[in-house]
């Protein structure tokens, strides 16, 4: 990995799971890391764990609620007021498969709103800082194997008429990958000093697989969902630390290339050492990526300078 001394990295959803492990990995490489998440208490607990693991780490926390475009704007304005440039942005935070349809503060279906639209707005508002980074900033949108079965349902993007927890999740993760490919294309076409590399963690044992199915569920249903998911991920998955490796690779490896996709390299990309991942056919076309981009700009009210 490339040393990141003097670089500033922002990791969303960094107070647990993959985000925490990515923050630790980048801090160990010398970056100053901002752990951005929506629970101040858990943020401070995560910061203490990071500094216990990496005593000389430069790290701090920040409140960021991706389920509110107003909060995203407030965070970006405050962050831009204190920082001159941003070298690495890892769009990691996410919600997975709540059984009952829920909405963000802006009326978006929760998974699309947090996983895609919140990060879309965040990247747009931080673009001046990303463009100011010496040597070019790196943006790492975090997708998922779930993107393989995803489809962007433009006729019911917010799942108002037909909500399926995992269908909505797959759509949101395909949206993450389409955002990555389109941002990389636009950066290249416009000669911007911006490196965009998508990544996924394979099957990793993190809290996202447990927290999402319990949102809005009955106690019995939540317990059953947690049990089933825990068994599946324990049998087939890897640790959060191992799952974070492709994300860190995309952010800091000199071998990582712009516009490509990284993940575990063992069979099925569920686990294993990091390397090139296969981009699903549904994420390779530019027409759907451009359409989603235009829709996302309209819904969030932000544009990329």
């Amino acid at each position: 990995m490339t040393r990141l001394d003097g670089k500033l990295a922002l990791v969303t959803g960094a107070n647990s799971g993959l985000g925490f492990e990515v923050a630790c990995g980048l801090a160990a490489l010398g970056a100053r890391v901002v752990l951005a998440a929506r629970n101040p208490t858990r943020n401070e607990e995560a910061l203490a764990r990071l500094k216990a693991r990496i005593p000389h780490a430069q790290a701090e926390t920040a409140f960021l609620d991706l389920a509110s475009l107003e909060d995203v704007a407030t965070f970006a304005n405050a962050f831009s007021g204190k920082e001159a440039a941003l070298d690495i942005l890892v769009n990691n935070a996410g919600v997975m498969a709540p059984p009952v349809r829920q909405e963000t503060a802006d009326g978006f279906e929760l998974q699309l709103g947090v996983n895609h639209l919140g990060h879309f707005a965040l990247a747009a508002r931080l673009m001046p800082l990303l463009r100011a980074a010496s040597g070019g900033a790196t943006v790492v949108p975090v997708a998922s194997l779930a993107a393989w079965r995803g489809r962007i349902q433009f006729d019911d993007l917010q799942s108002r008429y037909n909500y399926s927890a995992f269908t909505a999740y797959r759509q949101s993760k395909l949206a993450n990958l389409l955002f990555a490919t389109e941002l990389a294309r636009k950066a290249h076409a416009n000669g911007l000093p911006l490196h965009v590399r998508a990544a996924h963690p394979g099957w990793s044992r993190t809290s996202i697989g447990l927290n999402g199915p319990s949102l809005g569920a009955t106690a019995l249903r939540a317990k059953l969902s947690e049990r089933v998911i825990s068994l599946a991920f324990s049998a087939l998955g890897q640790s959060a630390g191992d799952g974070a490796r492709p994300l860190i690779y995309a952010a800091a490896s000199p071998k990582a290339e712009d516009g490509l996709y990284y993940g575990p390299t063992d069979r099925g990309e569920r686990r294993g050492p990091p390397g090139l991942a296969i981009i699903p056919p549904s994420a390779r076309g530019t027409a759907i990526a451009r359409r989603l981009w235009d829709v996302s700009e309209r819904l969030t009210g932000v544009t990329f300078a």
Side-chain angles (χ1 to χ4, degrees):
M1 297 294 169
T2 301
R3 287 292 302 178
L4 301 173
D5 303 283
K7 302 292 186 181
L8 174 62
L10 171 65
V11 183
T12 68
N15 61 16
S16 65
L18 291 172
F20 175 74
E21 295 297 337
V22 170
C24 288
L26 298 179
L29 291 170
R32 178 164 66 94
V33 181
V34 178
L35 290 74
R38 64 185 179 88
N39 187 314
T41 300
R42 291 180 61 191
N43 290 357
E44 293 304 319
E45 292 171 350
L47 181 62
R49 294 199 311 274
L50 185 151
K51 289 189 173 181
R53 184 188 297 187
I54 310 166
H56 301 295
Q58 299 180 73
E60 59 195 78
T61 67
F63 173 80
L64 172 61
D65 185 359
L66 290 160
S68 166
L69 293 179
E70 182 179 358
D71 282 357
V72 170
T74 299
F75 168 84
N77 288 337
F79 193 78
S80 299
K82 61 180 287 193
E83 304 293 350
L86 176 61
D87 300 283
I88 299 172
L89 171 62
V90 182
N91 287 341
N92 161 79
V95 179
M96 177 181 172
V100 179
R101 183 184 180 277
Q102 299 184 46
E103 292 187 347
T104 68
D106 305 283
F108 306 138
E109 187 277 317
L110 184 63
Q111 296 175 89
L112 184 73
V114 171
N115 300 356
H116 170 58
L117 293 172
H119 280 124
F120 183 93
L122 178 66
R125 292 188 179 280
L126 294 178
M127 189 54 61
L129 291 185
L130 292 166
R131 294 185 64 174
S134 176
T138 300
V139 179
V140 182
V142 179
S144 164
L145 286 172
W148 275 90
R149 297 180 61 189
R151 183 172 68 88
I152 306 299
Q153 303 179 86
F154 287 107
D155 57 343
D156 188 19
L157 196 62
Q158 306 299 337
S159 305
R160 290 192 174 95
Y161 305 107
N162 184 23
Y163 177 75
S164 164
F166 279 98
T167 297
Y169 178 68
R170 293 170 188 137
Q171 173 181 249
S172 73
K173 300 317 287 183
L174 176 58
N176 291 152
L177 197 46
L178 288 166
F179 167 68
T181 59
E182 183 64 5
L183 181 58
R185 188 193 67 79
K186 288 181 180 296
H188 178 73
N190 290 281
L192 297 181
L194 190 67
H195 309 291
V196 186
R197 304 148 184 174
H200 77 83
W203 280 38
S204 300
R205 297 186 296 273
T206 68
S207 59
I208 188 175
L210 305 178
N211 294 341
S214 67
L215 290 173
T218 64
L220 177 60
R221 184 172 180 178
K223 188 173 182 179
L224 289 173
S225 296
E226 179 177 339
R227 180 64 175 167
V228 170
I229 292 171
S230 292
L231 288 173
F233 277 75
S234 295
L236 300 173
Q238 58 187 353
S239 69
D242 286 338
R245 290 170 67 194
L247 283 61
I248 300 170
Y249 185 96
S253 173
K255 295 183 178 180
E257 298 181 37
D258 300 345
L260 296 184
Y261 188 30
Y262 296 91
T265 53
D266 283 357
R267 185 177 179 181
E269 297 182 7
R270 294 190 186 95
R271 59 200 304 171
L276 275 176
I278 300 173
I279 297 177
S282 55
R284 295 176 190 169
T286 58
I288 188 171
R290 288 174 177 174
R291 183 180 179 188
L292 179 63
W293 185 283
D294 291 341
V295 170
S296 300
E297 285 191 332
R298 176 173 56 81
L299 290 174
T300 60
V302 299
T303 58
F304 281 71

